[in-house]
């Protein structure tokens, strides 16, 4: 009888094969989302016309729509989806909380409050103006959440950080409502921006946010090994040489860059940062480096497909992508809460 060692080469190859399949599926979904985003809209453009518009542009209406509107919109959806998904992935890893995402922990609300307050106080509008205030608001919200979650003598546990994020989100939302009810300019701008929409975004918006998203992704990738070590516990992580405060600071900087840029570009879009990292971990394992990669592929795919659904959901009008992702993400959030409670019992 021949005995097979379960720890042999075949067992080593299985995780690699699983990851390859998961990433291949993500790439296929992303390509499908890109194709649908370029073809589907208020005006259906056949795939052959889309291809012609991309490789041999002319003055036709189809080429104008594809190159002037749908290409920048598609690229922006990829950028924003990647930013939100990776931001949620590193935040969940840092807090060891599957409910953590830029929306639930108050980062998006802080960015939104800063933008609305800046419009009301200064009267300026525009992507470059939004960017800096969105970054400032996201940074302040992150700091406040961390301070609330780590009161004197207490460690910043996942539960305390989540409660701090809920408090910051509630306070920021109340302040936003107060500002827009007293300032017509802020209300008009907020109404266009706050639902989370890719509609009307052009090349200037994409050019403004891409450098910050790229920088945030680089930082997120760099802290991956340290987050893997901290997943074993703070003391174990320190014993392995991880500098805890530096890792926390770098992770929060990545979240601020990614979430601030995404929020400034399209407004608050919920649940991409929650659901995609959960899916990535379920499919690919707990290694943060692979989770970041899977999130960077599935996040854009989800946002593109949600945007396409929103374009066709209401017939002649368009449903904002933030509303569609909320509809998709609501059941996911409930399922995660129920699973977390069942494990705690």
């Amino acid at each position: 009888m021949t005995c097979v060692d379960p720890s042999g080469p075949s067992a080593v190859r299985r995780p690699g094969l699983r990851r390859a399949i998961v990433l291949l599926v993500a790439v296929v979904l992303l390509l499908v989302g890109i194709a649908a985003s370029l073809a589907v809209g208020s005006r259906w453009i056949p795939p052959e016309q889309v291809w012609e518009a991309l490789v041999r542009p002319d003055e036709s209406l189809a080429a104008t729509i594809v190159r002037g509107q749908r290409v920048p919109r598609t690229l922006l959806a990829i950028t924003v989806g990647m930013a939100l998904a990776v931001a949620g992935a590193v935040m969940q890893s840092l807090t060891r909380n599957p409910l953590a995402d830029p929306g639930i922990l108050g980062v998006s609300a802080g960015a939104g409050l800063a933008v609305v307050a800046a419009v009301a106080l200064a009267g300026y509008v525009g992507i470059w103006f939004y960017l800096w205030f969105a970054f400032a608001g996201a940074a302040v919200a992150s700091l406040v959440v961390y301070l609330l979650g780590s009161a004197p003598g207490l460690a910043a546990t996942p539960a305390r950080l989540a409660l701090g994020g809920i408090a910051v989100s509630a306070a920021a939302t109340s302040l936003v409502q107060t500002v827009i009810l007293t300032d017509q300019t802020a209300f008009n701008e907020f109404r266009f921006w706050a639902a989370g929409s890719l509609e009307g975004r052009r090349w200037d918006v994409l050019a403004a946010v891409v450098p910050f998203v790229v920088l945030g992704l680089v930082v997120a990738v760099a802290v991956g090994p340290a987050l893997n070590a901290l997943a074993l516990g703070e003391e174990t992580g320190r014993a392995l040489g991880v500098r805890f405060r530096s890792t926390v600071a770098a992770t929060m900087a990545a979240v601020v860059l990614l979430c601030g840029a995404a929020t400034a570009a399209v407004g608050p879009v919920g649940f991409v940062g929650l659901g995609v990292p959960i899916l990535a971990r379920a499919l690919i394992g707990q290694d943060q480096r692979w989770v970041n990669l899977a999130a960077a592929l599935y996040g854009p795919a989800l946002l593109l497909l949600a945007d396409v659904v929103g374009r066709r959901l209401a017939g002649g009008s368009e449903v904002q992508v933030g509303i569609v992702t909320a509809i998709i993400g609501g059941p996911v959030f409930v399922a995660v809460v129920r699973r977390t409670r069942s494990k705690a019992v």
Side-chain angles (χ1 to χ4, degrees):
M1 179 180 294
T2 303
C3 296
V4 179
D5 183 3
S7 62
S10 60
V12 174
R13 285 196 297 268
R14 286 194 199 110
L17 178 61
R18 180 184 180 88
R19 288 168 182 163
I21 293 173
V22 169
L23 296 178
L24 179 60
V25 171
V27 170
V28 170
L29 288 175
L30 182 56
L31 292 176
V32 170
I34 291 171
S37 180
L38 294 175
V40 177
S42 58
R43 174 189 173 92
W44 162 257
I45 300 177
E48 61 272 15
Q49 291 187 24
V50 172
W51 179 254
E52 288 292 326
L54 293 175
V55 299
R56 285 187 292 271
D58 51 27
E59 301 301 321
S60 66
L61 178 60
T64 301
I65 293 174
V66 170
R67 295 178 67 86
Q69 298 178 17
R70 294 187 185 173
V71 169
R73 179 172 181 159
T74 300
L75 293 176
L76 184 62
I78 294 171
T79 303
V80 170
M82 193 178 297
L84 293 175
V86 174
V90 296
M91 188 175 284
Q92 289 177 10
S93 179
L94 177 67
T95 61
R96 298 192 292 280
N97 184 353
L99 300 180
D101 87 328
I104 293 174
L105 290 190
V107 181
S108 295
L113 174 60
V115 170
V116 170
V119 171
L121 294 174
Y124 297 117
V125 295
I127 182 61
W128 285 106
F129 182 74
Y130 289 165
L131 265 177
W132 301 113
F133 281 94
F135 286 144
V140 171
S142 300
L143 178 61
V144 171
V145 168
Y146 186 78
L147 292 176
L148 289 175
S150 58
L154 298 175
T157 63
R160 293 193 186 99
L161 289 173
L163 289 174
I166 292 170
V168 169
S169 293
T173 301
S174 299
L175 289 173
V176 165
Q177 294 300 319
T178 301
V179 171
I180 65 174
L181 288 175
T182 57
D183 189 284
Q184 186 65 37
T185 301
F187 173 75
N188 292 335
E189 195 64 25
F190 182 79
R191 183 177 59 182
F192 172 75
W193 173 80
S197 176
L198 292 159
E199 184 180 5
R201 271 53 171 188
R202 298 291 186 266
W203 292 105
D204 59 332
V205 177
L206 181 66
V209 301
V210 162
F212 298 100
V213 172
V214 170
L215 179 59
L217 291 174
V218 170
V219 177
V221 170
V223 298
L227 291 175
N228 280 338
L230 289 177
L232 302 173
E234 183 178 338
E235 294 301 323
T236 303
R238 291 180 187 274
L240 293 173
V242 175
R243 296 180 178 179
F244 180 73
R245 292 185 182 276
S246 299
T247 301
V248 171
T251 304
M252 295 310 296
V255 171
V256 167
L257 285 168
L258 295 170
C259 186
T263 304
V266 302
V269 175
F271 292 106
V272 175
L274 172 69
V276 172
I278 293 174
L279 175 66
R281 284 194 173 84
L283 294 176
I284 211 165
Q286 298 298 318
D287 190 328
Q288 189 60 34
R289 296 168 297 181
W290 290 103
V291 170
N292 284 343
L293 179 57
L297 293 172
Y298 280 101
L302 171 62
L303 200 61
L304 283 169
L305 295 173
D307 186 39
V308 171
V309 170
R311 297 183 207 178
R312 305 300 300 174
L313 197 60
S317 59
E318 187 170 311
V319 178
Q320 288 86 352
V321 68
I323 297 175
V324 179
T325 58
I327 294 172
I328 297 172
V332 174
F333 181 74
V334 172
V336 173
V337 170
R338 288 176 61 86
R339 189 179 67 178
T340 303
R341 285 182 59 191
S342 65
K343 286 183 178 180
V345 173

